[in-house]
Amino acid sequence: MDGFTGSLDDSMSGASVSDVNDRLSALELRVQQQEDELTVMKAALADVLRRLAASEDLAASASRKQAKGGPPLREAYSMSCITNGGTSGRKRDSTSVTRKETVSSAAKSGADRKKEASSQRSPMEEIQENQEPGHQQNLSPCPSPHPPPPPQRQAPPPDASKSHAPTKRGPSVKRSSGIERSHSSSWETSEENRNKLVKAASTSRLIAKVAKNTERHRDAVTSQAAKMSTREKNSQADGNPIKMFMRGRPITMFVPSDVENYQDLRIELPPERLKLEWVYGYRGRDCRANVYLLPTGEIVYFIASIVVLFNYEERTQRHYFGHTDCVKCLSVHPDKIRIATGQSSGVDKDGRALQPHVRIWDSVSLSTLQVVGMGTFERGVGCLAFSKADSGQHLSVIDDCNDHMLTVWDWQKKSKIAEIKTTNEVVLAVDFHPTDPNTIVTCGKSHIFFWTWSGTSLARKQGIFGKYEKPKFVQCLAFLSTGDILTGDSGGVLLIWTRSSAETPTGKGPRAFQISRQVKGHEGSVFCVCEMRSGTLLTGGGKDRKIVLWDHGLTPERDIEVPDQYGTIRAVAEGKGEEFLVGTSRNFILRGTFNDGFVVEVQGHTDELWGLASHPSNNVFLTCGQDRLVCLWNAKEHSLRWSRTVEEHGHCADFHPSGAVVAIGTHSGKWFVLDAESTDLVTIHTDGNEQLSVMRYSVDGTLLAVGSHDNFIYLYTVSENGRKYSRYGKCTGHSSYITHLDWSPDNKFIMSNSGDYEILYWDVPNGCKLIKNRSECKDIDWATYTCVLGYHVFGVWPEGSDGTDINALIRSHNRKVIALADDFCKVHLFTYPCCKPKAPSHKYGAHSSHVTNVTFLHEDSHLISTGGKDTSIMQWRLVEKTSLNDSLVSNSAPRRLGPVLAPPPPMATPPSQEPTPPPTENGTQEPFPETPPPTDLAMPTSELTPPRSESTPPPSDSTVSLKDSLEPSDDTATPSDEGLPPLTPPS
């Protein structure tokens, strides 16, 4: 985008963008469906081969030992685990939801698949579990006082695959990333899973053989289970199995020996809560005119679904949480207190639409004053503006739909006054005339329209360029003190539009504006314009990256160039004194003067983030992403310590236990080791030619494990404090790409997860061998826990998951909680261990894209989360419930108020704590029905104070979101801090 006169969105019409997105989504859906089918078929075939080999071994063993032989391990008949003879859990309908854009190697090229198929049986046979007869007799992970008779199962005939209809996919819905994915049941009965395996394998010989072996052992299983008492079941050998199912794939886990009675375990909500402390980043790459200085001394801007109020002198932030998806535009009321922000549409985890809307809120108390446009806007809010001549009583909004509808609202009454189609082309700006309350101006691709608003009607007059060259885009507009209109366009030209004095209103349409003057302003586009208090103008250029000061006669006085590393200019606003603020396309916010140059106030990444690592002993953390940028952040000072670019897209990272170096894995198979202080390159290695998904040092730092999308884990010995590496071995056995891995405290074992939901264990000292009997590893106390599949964490998976809903999780250092990053813009907090299905959690919304990673700082004082497409970094503070309430009150007002404003009086009614919602049958909590909001919301003493509204929502300085308040709760509990009463602004 940098170096061009406009953004990519500026070069397309709304209709063409929609068509391209629809076609791209359809193609991506087809590709993803094919990848899913290949993955399932591959996993199913591997599982069938394992079962076949195990059945043959068991048959041979049974024929030799007869009475001493045991039946094969049975699948549990529940959504995750049940006692012997339990009934099967009900299956949810499959639903399609959005899929994040990730590189997957599950679907390989034809040549690779043929090569892999020829050698698949041998490694698959090695992966099978070496189950002892005594272990296999244990039919249940937990005792039952009155076990019902076991269900009778019949083996399917050899042609069973023909008798079942193919699995149907549910309706698809689109999300901001434009990627769609299928959403199928994760907790299914063993019979349904078996049918899916039959259909996926499509091999009658394998099916017949499996059915024959199963029939051979069924009588023994049933008879022994019927004779076995509860005490005998509970005192079985060590390998108590639990099974869950993911997309028809069985996932076996084993209950640790120290768990005496699994059925009596109860998972509660953790006492800890999360409070958003700091947001790193700014959305400037594809937005404009979204940086302003408030009289409170705070800079207001947005990123993800959060609007940030940042006091750069005191280094503090406050946050407005009202939005449920990406915030796209911002406008400040003439009183400089109230703010309107518009968001785009989205979908929640269940596929329900999140409607685009505009929220008007108070920047002092952070309370929501009004929500307008629910059900009116189609795709999102493109731009908006308060009226000026009538003291901001009205709001004009441009919808991002194909017709780019212009609506005028009396926002205090939440009523739409007028609505009209503008054009099929992109509309970039809308504004009210400052002295004529009936004139509205819009501009965009190849047009500028002057609208006369009268009652419920809007009449359009198109701007005529005449002898002047018609620009491709009219990028921005401003009003001069004379009432004339100034526009900047993609050709770098400033045009002054003056209302024709020869034409008088006839009542049939607006008076025409004509071009009275043309001035060459910039090389490239004029991207933004700002009117200063003194009446002078600031303009920002795209290609030339210059900010020019113009006097009252539109003569350039001074200019300054923004350094190239910050990108092109996207927003310009007036600052304190002679200062001005600049937002750039590389997501910087700069504060500067013409004499002293620029100071960076806000910065962040510019593309999708995946790599995240916390320092082992300091309050710093590192991020890397697809923008090739590696950044080290100081979490205590909320600042960037250093950044540098690398030659590849960063995808994963980990600090050496000494903290001296950090390893960074990339998309191409290369990985770098950088000095954590000087950023110097220590070494570079390459493992394969596919994406590296995880880097993990052992506890003592003597070994490094590198997980790759080529299905291997590469091991290196590490010496010289992380500066020297030599290949030690390679773990071979996964049938899909590596997703997560963890070390044991003694550096002897590794636990790993893969893209086809395998949980494998590796014996490192003995040549990185696969441990076939996985029950032997059930009592290992893992040094870290980042694997998303395992006994201690499987309860975090929501019902109906397709295996990609959880991107990352991490256990805190004190082993009390699990933090989780999901695919639905939420950060979750679970109690550790989380070994019961559908466990309750606290969930927090701030991201507007899939949350890609989470990590705790070394003392567990803070949690860091990273966003995908929203490119944001969120720093959360872990607090107890009592301290949370205090922190919310302290966060409800700015620390310093400018002399222009008077602080608002306190509310008449003191807040009262809401009762705790009652638990439901599955142990989660349902929110109470939405209560009527307070009607005594105090406003600043001013003639501009709007009337109190019955529909005024409560303050939004908490993690409450519109989605959570309007829709029923899902499988996780709503945090108690999401239901706090309205806060009283300080007096």
Side-chain angles (χ1 to χ4, degrees):
M1 180 186 298
D2 303 331
F4 291 96
T5 59
S7 66
L8 180 61
D9 291 340
D10 296 341
S11 64
M12 293 184 175
S13 68
S16 62
V17 170
S18 174
D19 293 340
V20 170
N21 286 338
D22 291 343
R23 293 175 184 175
L24 184 61
S25 298
L27 290 174
E28 288 168 342
L29 178 59
R30 290 181 59 187
V31 171
Q32 189 56 52
Q33 288 174 344
Q34 293 174 358
E35 287 184 356
D36 291 345
E37 291 171 0
L38 287 172
T39 302
V40 172
M41 291 177 64
K42 194 174 174 182
L45 181 59
D47 190 75
V48 168
L49 292 172
R50 289 194 192 97
R51 290 165 180 258
L52 180 60
S55 299
E56 292 174 347
D57 293 343
L58 290 174
S61 176
S63 63
R64 289 193 304 267
K65 299 181 180 180
Q66 292 183 355
K68 295 182 180 181
L73 177 66
R74 297 205 311 163
E75 298 172 358
Y77 271 87
S78 77
M79 290 185 294
S80 66
C81 59
I82 65 170
T83 57
N84 177 36
T87 57
S88 62
R90 64 183 178 88
K91 177 182 174 184
R92 292 184 57 181
D93 293 335
S94 63
T95 309
S96 285
V97 292
T98 301
R99 183 182 184 89
K100 57 192 175 293
E101 292 180 311
T102 56
V103 181
S104 172
S105 64
K108 299 186 177 181
S109 64
D112 293 338
R113 287 199 298 269
K114 291 179 183 177
K115 182 179 178 181
E116 196 172 17
S118 63
S119 59
Q120 190 172 13
R121 182 178 178 86
S122 177
M124 290 303 104
E125 291 177 343
E126 295 178 1
I127 300 176
Q128 62 174 329
E129 294 182 27
N130 183 19
Q131 298 172 346
E132 297 296 332
H135 297 178
Q136 294 155 358
Q137 290 178 357
N138 186 13
L139 306 179
S140 171
C142 51
S144 174
H146 303 286
Q152 296 296 326
R153 298 186 299 172
Q154 295 183 358
D159 58 347
S161 60
K162 300 179 182 179
S163 62
H164 297 279
T167 303
K168 295 182 180 181
R169 296 180 180 269
S172 61
V173 289
K174 201 186 306 181
R175 195 171 166 190
S176 57
S177 62
I179 304 296
E180 305 181 9
R181 65 171 177 194
S182 63
H183 192 92
S184 63
S185 175
S186 60
W187 313 100
E188 300 179 6
T189 64
S190 58
E191 195 66 30
E192 291 167 336
N193 169 63
R194 182 170 178 173
N195 291 337
K196 290 189 176 182
L197 290 176
V198 168
K199 288 180 283 186
S202 300
T203 306
S204 59
R205 287 176 54 191
L206 293 178
I207 297 168
K209 204 163 188 177
V210 173
K212 182 177 179 181
N213 289 330
T214 306
E215 186 69 28
R216 183 187 305 170
H217 297 289
R218 179 179 292 109
D219 295 338
V221 173
T222 305
S223 60
Q224 289 195 11
K227 296 176 182 178
M228 196 177 301
S229 66
T230 301
R231 183 182 300 274
E232 289 171 337
K233 293 176 185 177
N234 202 34
S235 60
Q236 277 285 346
D238 299 336
N240 282 350
I242 297 178
K243 279 196 177 184
M244 63 179 284
F245 291 88
M246 201 79 71
R247 295 179 61 86
R249 174 70 185 266
I251 302 171
T252 305
M253 297 158 288
F254 295 92
V255 181
S257 301
D258 57 358
V259 178
E260 296 181 357
N261 196 333
Y262 174 81
Q263 190 176 17
D264 291 343
L265 293 179
R266 294 291 181 268
I267 307 299
E268 305 292 341
L269 285 167
E272 293 83 359
R273 305 288 192 276
L274 294 180
K275 176 72 175 74
L276 185 61
E277 180 178 275
W278 202 264
V279 179
Y280 301 86
Y282 152 72
R283 182 167 183 169
R285 185 173 186 179
D286 58 352
C287 294
R288 62 185 68 217
N290 59 349
V291 177
Y292 296 95
L293 181 69
L294 301 179
T296 58
E298 296 168 306
I299 303 174
V300 58
Y301 58 95
F302 56 77
I303 183 172
S305 64
I306 299 296
V307 186
V308 182
L309 296 95
F310 171 49
N311 190 316
Y312 58 87
E313 292 182 340
E314 300 181 4
R315 304 300 299 177
T316 59
Q317 276 189 0
R318 297 187 300 134
H319 310 105
Y320 177 70
F321 289 89
H323 288 281
T324 59
D325 211 277
C326 299
V327 182
K328 295 294 294 292
C329 52
L330 182 151
S331 180
V332 179
H333 194 276
D335 65 3
K336 305 298 182 184
I337 297 175
R338 287 167 283 189
I339 296 174
T341 45
Q343 75 166 59
S344 61
S345 61
V347 293
D348 65 7
K349 67 181 294 292
D350 296 320
R352 293 187 294 260
L354 300 177
Q355 295 178 335
H357 59 272
V358 174
R359 304 182 79 90
I360 299 95
W361 48 280
D362 188 298
S363 64
V364 177
S365 65
L366 297 180
S367 58
T368 301
L369 307 178
Q370 198 59 270
V371 179
V372 300
M374 282 287 189
T376 300
F377 306 129
E378 186 175 326
R379 290 185 183 166
V381 181
C383 47
L384 73 170
F386 281 105
S387 58
K388 301 176 179 63
D390 58 1
S391 301
Q393 293 182 8
H394 296 94
L395 186 72
S396 59
V397 183
I398 295 291
D399 190 358
D400 254 346
C401 63
N402 290 342
D403 292 335
H404 296 95
M405 303 298 294
L406 168 63
T407 53
V408 179
W409 299 78
D410 185 336
W411 64 267
Q412 299 174 15
K413 297 179 181 179
K414 201 177 178 179
S415 63
K416 181 171 63 177
I417 300 175
E419 181 177 22
I420 193 172
K421 171 185 174 180
T422 59
T423 175
N424 289 331
E425 305 292 351
V426 173
V427 178
L428 301 176
V430 61
D431 208 351
F432 282 91
H433 197 283
T435 58
D436 184 357
N438 296 323
T439 298
I440 301 173
V441 184
T442 62
C443 63
K445 183 177 180 180
S446 304
H447 76 271
I448 179 170
F449 294 147
F450 306 97
W451 304 85
T452 296
W453 167 39
S454 177
T456 59
S457 66
L458 287 163
R460 184 181 77 179
K461 200 78 171 183
Q462 184 170 358
I464 305 301
F465 291 90
K467 64 179 180 179
Y468 300 98
E469 181 181 357
K470 187 175 183 179
K472 186 175 181 181
F473 290 94
V474 180
Q475 302 264 35
C476 54
L477 62 90
F479 297 93
L480 306 179
S481 57
T482 59
D484 295 339
I485 301 172
L486 176 75
T487 61
D489 58 43
S490 55
V493 175
L494 298 175
L495 296 175
I496 297 179
W497 301 76
T498 304
R499 179 167 283 168
S500 175
S501 58
E503 187 178 349
T504 57
T506 63
K508 296 183 180 180
R511 290 186 298 173
F513 281 82
Q514 296 179 347
I515 299 175
S516 61
R517 186 180 175 190
Q518 173 180 292
V519 178
K520 181 63 175 177
H522 292 268
E523 293 296 329
S525 67
V526 182
F527 214 90
C528 48
V529 59
C530 170
E531 186 176 4
M532 310 290 280
R533 285 183 293 265
S534 60
T536 57
L537 289 172
L538 283 178
T539 58
K543 185 176 181 180
D544 62 7
R545 305 189 312 280
K546 285 186 178 181
I547 296 176
V548 181
L549 176 67
W550 305 83
D551 62 13
H552 294 80
L554 210 60
T555 302
E557 286 188 349
R558 307 190 65 178
D559 65 78
I560 187 172
E561 183 176 336
V562 174
D564 179 62
Q565 65 264 28
Y566 300 139
T568 57
I569 300 168
R570 287 292 181 264
V572 174
E574 188 173 20
K576 297 179 180 179
E578 297 181 351
E579 294 180 345
F580 49 85
L581 305 173
V582 181
T584 74
S585 61
R586 292 184 180 169
N587 296 345
F588 285 86
I589 296 181
L590 311 175
R591 178 172 55 90
T593 64
F594 287 104
N595 294 326
D596 301 327
F598 295 100
V599 176
V600 176
E601 295 294 350
V602 179
Q603 58 189 305
H605 286 268
T606 59
D607 209 340
E608 192 164 349
L609 285 173
W610 281 96
L612 175 65
S614 60
H615 195 279
S617 57
N618 297 328
N619 286 323
V620 298
F621 61 93
L622 181 137
T623 57
C624 58
Q626 295 184 6
D627 56 1
R628 297 185 174 88
L629 197 63
V630 178
C631 298
L632 186 70
W633 306 87
N634 188 319
K636 185 176 181 180
E637 299 177 0
H638 307 130
S639 61
L640 181 70
R641 179 172 290 188
W642 56 257
S643 67
R644 64 162 292 169
T645 56
V646 292
E647 61 186 53
E648 304 285 349
H649 301 300
H651 193 82
C652 53
D654 194 32
F655 276 96
H656 187 269
S658 67
V661 298
V662 60
I664 299 165
T666 70
H667 276 247
S668 66
K670 290 183 180 179
W671 53 275
F672 308 89
V673 178
L674 301 179
D675 188 289
E677 293 296 330
S678 65
T679 76
D680 294 337
L681 181 64
V682 175
T683 185
I684 181 171
H685 293 267
T686 301
D687 288 311
N689 57 3
E690 296 195 45
Q691 172 183 305
L692 302 181
S693 51
V694 55
M695 311 283 291
R696 188 79 66 222
Y697 284 99
S698 61
V699 178
D700 60 2
T702 58
L703 291 168
L704 172 66
V706 181
S708 172
H709 270 225
D710 63 7
N711 306 355
F712 301 130
I713 300 174
Y714 301 90
L715 293 178
Y716 286 80
T717 57
V718 184
S719 58
E720 298 181 9
N721 210 23
R723 296 182 176 274
K724 186 176 180 180
Y725 297 80
S726 59
R727 176 73 73 85
Y728 174 76
K730 182 170 69 172
C731 299
T732 303
H734 273 293
S735 55
S736 185
Y737 57 92
I738 312 301
T739 58
H740 307 84
L741 64 86
D742 292 291
W743 284 93
S744 62
D746 57 5
N747 306 334
K748 293 182 178 179
F749 303 99
I750 290 177
M751 171 175 59
S752 59
N753 293 167
S754 63
D756 59 350
Y757 326 124
E758 284 183 320
I759 309 172
L760 298 184
Y761 302 90
W762 310 90
D763 187 345
V764 176
N766 295 326
C768 308
K769 290 184 178 180
L770 175 69
I771 300 175
K772 297 181 180 179
N773 189 359
R774 291 180 289 171
S775 64
E776 296 176 356
C777 303
K778 65 182 181 180
D779 294 325
I780 296 178
D781 183 24
W782 301 101
T784 59
Y785 216 117
T786 61
C787 286
V788 297
L789 294 171
Y791 168 80
H792 295 86
V793 298
F794 79 90
V796 305
W797 285 91
E799 184 180 8
S801 175
D802 71 346
T804 61
D805 295 337
I806 296 176
N807 297 317
L809 66 76
I810 189 168
R811 181 188 65 192
S812 61
H813 298 88
N814 60 18
R815 300 171 181 248
K816 291 183 178 180
V817 294
I818 301 169
L820 181 145
D822 75 11
D823 215 30
F824 309 102
C825 316
K826 293 292 188 290
V827 175
H828 295 254
L829 207 61
F830 290 86
T831 299
Y832 179 86
C834 189
C835 49
K836 283 283 190 175
K838 297 192 295 184
S841 73
H842 299 301
K843 67 176 180 179
Y844 302 88
H847 293 279
S848 62
S849 179
H850 51 284
V851 187
T852 56
N853 214 335
V854 285
T855 189
F856 287 98
L857 296 186
H858 72 106
E859 293 179 343
D860 292 332
S861 59
H862 292 81
L863 175 75
I864 310 298
S865 63
T866 56
K869 289 299 181 182
D870 63 26
T871 71
S872 64
I873 305 169
M874 307 287 180
Q875 180 172 318
W876 309 81
R877 181 161 46 92
L878 271 75
V879 294
E880 297 292 337
K881 184 177 180 180
T882 53
S883 60
L884 178 69
N885 296 338
D886 298 337
S887 66
L888 284 175
V889 173
S890 65
N891 191 46
S892 62
R895 295 178 179 270
R896 183 178 62 83
L897 198 64
V900 181
L901 304 177
M907 292 183 185
T909 304
S912 59
Q913 182 66 39
E914 295 181 2
T916 304
T920 57
E921 292 181 0
N922 61 356
T924 63
Q925 293 179 355
E926 295 286 350
F928 281 106
E930 189 176 15
T931 56
T935 57
D936 297 332
L937 187 64
M939 290 295 299
T941 305
S942 170
E943 296 178 357
L944 306 178
T945 302
R948 299 185 180 97
S949 171
E950 290 291 335
S951 60
T952 302
S956 299
D957 186 45
S958 66
T959 53
V960 66
S961 68
L962 188 64
K963 169 187 171 186
D964 296 332
S965 63
L966 296 182
E967 299 171 355
S969 175
D970 58 4
D971 294 334
T972 58
T974 302
S976 59
D977 53 312
E978 291 189 4
L980 291 177
L983 303 175
T984 304
S987 58

